[in-house]
Amino acid sequence: MKYRIQLDTKTQLFIAIDPADQNHKGTGATIEQAVAQLQR
């Protein structure tokens, strides 16, 4: 799975975003958590 990573500096959360569907996102305190949530 391909994804894009962003860091929200206000909340200090990573956001993993599916490049094919910008509305499909996962967030987490670590990149791994954000990607795991995205894959659900």
Side-chain angles (χ1 to χ4, degrees):
M1 168 179 236
K2 293 185 180 184
Y3 52 86
R4 195 173 78 225
I5 296 292
Q6 290 181 340
L7 173 62
D8 184 333
T9 56
K10 292 181 183 177
T11 62
Q12 293 298 306
L13 289 175
F14 288 98
I15 305 166
I17 304 166
D18 183 347
D21 180 4
Q22 301 296 315
N23 295 317
H24 186 207
K25 300 178 184 178
T27 59
T30 66
I31 293 173
E32 291 83 6
Q33 289 174 342
V35 171
Q37 192 178 66
L38 175 67
Q39 292 176 342
R40 291 184 195 173

